[in-house]
């Protein structure tokens, strides 16, 4: 069976920069605390008129251009987001419309920070079974709309950004070599938004209690993150018969530089093979891995034939990994 691969990438990050110094004026924090605990110096913030679908279309156009594919060729659009344009309909519907793609299978996927890898894995199944030729997978987050800028534990972490990948039949030896997806709902209280769903519909009380914003148990999440990313990475590598030393590039979800360092060390990947942009971009949830990949591809950091491992964890808790040859 022919392998599927990522044929093009594109990213769209808002222009406005929110620095640690800006945050010092909003909450009781410091550049020193944020830098040493997370590695983040700045993150991007969407302008009021920018929406998840708007940035998604910008990123998608760049990815389609790189892949040499037209919107009319798309059979599948997956938008991974936990910060949709609206609760209903799916943001993927706006993307399909505004991209000028024909009516096709287009849906949102909610796996938080693991979402882009879940999307790539789903698209891979459709392409390798011949059901679909070209798929667009987008990691799209405007988390600033869901972050409480009175909560110093979370507002320093998250930023806005979108990135896309166009998938299709790969030219050997390129292609997706292995992948895994997992969810463990027992940890669902580690990162969640209490109100706005059926458990607690939005009301004056929920808004006054700020329950429409992200709540996080950072310490607990940290431990799950390191363990799950290490384990899933090891399993995907083992199944493909690839050792950590053979990797040309490791792109972990950009949640915290300390998490990245811990996973890199446990896996035994050489530090110069690990990509990080967290100091500039912060944690953009499902957009973090594709933004990194796009930066690597466009800067020439990734070359044809390189072995790339991408690994993520996110709210749910979800975790997953994808191994591919570029
Ligand atoms: N500035 C200053 N002090 C702060 C801040 C802040 N922004 N935030 C918390 N603190 C304080 C706490 O109140 C606490 O004070 P106390 O000791 O007086 O109680 C102290 O700093 C230490 O807090 P901890 O939570 O123990 O700090 P920790 O070293 O664990 O770092 C962090 C916190 C950065 C959140 C870390 O736990 C982490 O990164 N966890 C993973 C979070 C994550 O990855 N989330 C997203 C993943 S899923 C997704 O991406 C959607």
């Amino acid at each position: 069976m022919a392998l599927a691969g990522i044929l093009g990438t594109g990213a769209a990050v808002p222009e406005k920069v929110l620095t640690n110094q800006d945050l010092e004026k909003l909450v009781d924090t410091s550049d020193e605390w944020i830098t040493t605990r997370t590695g983040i110096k700045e993150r991007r913030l969407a302008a009021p008129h920018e929406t998840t679908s708007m940035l998604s279309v910008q990123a998608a156009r760049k990815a389609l251009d790189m892949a040499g594919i037209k919107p009319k060729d798309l059979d599948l659009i997956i938008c991974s987001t936990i910060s949709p344009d609206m609760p209903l309909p799916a943001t993927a519907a706006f993307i399909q419309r505004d991209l000028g793609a024909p009516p096709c299978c287009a849906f949102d996927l909610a796996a938080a920070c693991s979402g882009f890898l879940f999307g790539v894995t789903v698209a891979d199944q459709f392409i390798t079974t011949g059901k679909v030729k070209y798929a667009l997978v987008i990691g799209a987050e405007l988390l600033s709309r869901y972050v409480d800028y009175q909560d110093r534990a979370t507002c320093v972490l998250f930023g806005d950004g979108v990135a896309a990948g166009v998938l299709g039949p790969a030219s050997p030896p390129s292609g997706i070599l292995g992948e895994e997806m997992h969810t463990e709902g027992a940890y669902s209280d580690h990162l969640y938004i209490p109100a706005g769903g059926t458990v607690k519909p939005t009301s004056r009380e929920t808004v006054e209690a700020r329950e429409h914003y992200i709540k996080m148990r950072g310490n607990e999440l940290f431990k799950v993150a390191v363990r799950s990313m290490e384990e899933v990475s090891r399993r995907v590598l083992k199944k493909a018969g690839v050792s950590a030393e053979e990797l040309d590039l490791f792109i972990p979800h950009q949640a915290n530089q300390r998490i990245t360092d811990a996973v890199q060390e446990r896996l035994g990947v050489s530090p110069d093979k690990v990509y990080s942009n967290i100091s500039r971009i912060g944690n953009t949830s499902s957009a973090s891995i594709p933004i990194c990949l796009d930066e690597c591809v466009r800067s020439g950091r990734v070359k044809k034939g390189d072995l790339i491992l991408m690994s993520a964890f996110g709210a749910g808790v979800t975790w997953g990994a994808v191994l591919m040859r570029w």
Side-chain angles (χ1 to χ4, degrees):
M1 198 188 290
L3 298 182
I6 298 181
L7 312 179
T9 62
V13 293
E15 272 184 24
K16 186 176 164 51
V17 173
L18 183 70
T19 64
N20 290 349
Q21 287 74 21
D22 295 329
L23 285 164
E24 284 174 351
K25 293 175 196 138
L26 293 177
V27 287
D28 180 15
T29 191
S30 66
D31 173 47
E32 198 267 335
W33 192 96
I34 303 170
T35 306
T36 53
R37 300 290 178 122
T38 72
I40 302 169
K41 298 297 278 184
E42 56 189 47
R43 66 290 291 146
R44 298 301 177 98
L45 212 57
H49 73 278
E50 286 177 315
T51 64
T52 305
S53 64
M54 194 185 286
L55 292 179
S56 295
V57 170
Q58 291 172 18
R61 287 198 200 288
K62 294 180 192 169
L64 287 162
D65 276 354
M66 188 189 285
I69 305 294
K70 300 267 179 265
K72 70 172 175 51
D73 300 322
L74 291 171
D75 311 301
L76 173 65
I77 298 173
I78 302 175
C79 176
S80 161
T81 188
I82 49 165
S83 44
D85 279 15
M86 300 176 188
L88 189 74
T91 301
F94 299 125
I95 297 169
Q96 175 268 330
R97 179 194 67 190
D98 297 342
L99 206 50
C104 63
C105 176
F107 60 89
D108 285 5
L109 187 157
C113 312
S114 311
F116 181 75
L117 299 187
F118 275 41
V120 166
T121 303
V122 171
D124 182 30
Q125 315 309 309
F126 279 96
I127 294 164
T128 50
T129 53
K131 297 263 189 314
V132 151
K133 188 162 186 195
Y134 296 116
L136 175 67
V137 179
I138 306 174
E141 306 290 2
L142 263 59
L143 287 176
S144 63
R145 307 274 160 87
Y146 293 83
V147 163
D148 185 351
Y149 286 95
Q150 292 182 15
D151 175 12
R152 67 177 182 174
T154 53
C155 73
V156 301
L157 301 175
F158 298 108
D160 297 337
V162 174
V166 172
L167 280 83
S171 326
S174 302
I176 294 168
L177 306 174
E179 58 211 358
E180 272 196 24
M181 305 184 278
H182 299 274
T183 301
E184 172 50 273
Y187 303 124
S188 52
D189 62 351
H190 285 14
L191 188 65
Y192 69 115
I193 298 175
T198 57
V199 171
K200 223 179 233 194
T202 309
S203 65
R204 178 193 293 267
E205 288 72 31
T206 64
V207 173
E208 282 172 358
R210 309 183 79 75
E211 290 180 319
H212 54 300
Y213 290 126
I214 291 173
K215 311 288 176 205
M216 187 182 74
R217 298 168 69 181
N219 266 312
E220 287 87 340
L221 208 49
F222 196 104
K223 291 174 210 143
V224 181
V226 174
R227 195 174 62 237
S228 61
M229 282 168 76
E230 182 201 354
E231 285 174 6
V232 78
S233 299
R234 274 192 196 290
R235 270 199 310 275
V236 168
L237 286 171
K238 191 170 176 204
K239 275 195 281 180
V242 172
S243 70
E245 298 82 59
E246 286 176 86
L247 289 173
D248 296 294
L249 182 64
F250 176 46
I251 304 180
H253 166 48
Q254 310 286 299
N256 182 319
Q257 189 59 43
R258 286 157 53 215
I259 294 177
T260 292
D261 294 344
V263 175
Q264 168 262 316
E265 208 167 294
R266 284 168 176 231
L267 278 178
V269 180
S270 157
D272 61 309
K273 303 280 175 67
V274 183
Y275 193 73
S276 172
N277 65 8
I278 195 164
S279 63
R280 291 180 284 115
I281 302 288
N283 179 348
T284 54
S285 188
S286 65
S288 96
I289 285 180
I291 291 175
C292 288
L293 181 62
D294 184 61
E295 288 182 358
C296 290
V297 171
R298 287 176 192 272
S299 67
R301 169 93 188 250
V302 166
K303 290 174 194 58
K304 193 110 189 98
D306 278 359
L307 268 175
I308 306 172
L309 178 70
M310 304 179 285
S311 179
F313 79 98
V317 170
T318 59
W319 64 98
V322 171
L323 175 70
M324 64 181 176
R325 191 178 290 283
W326 189 254

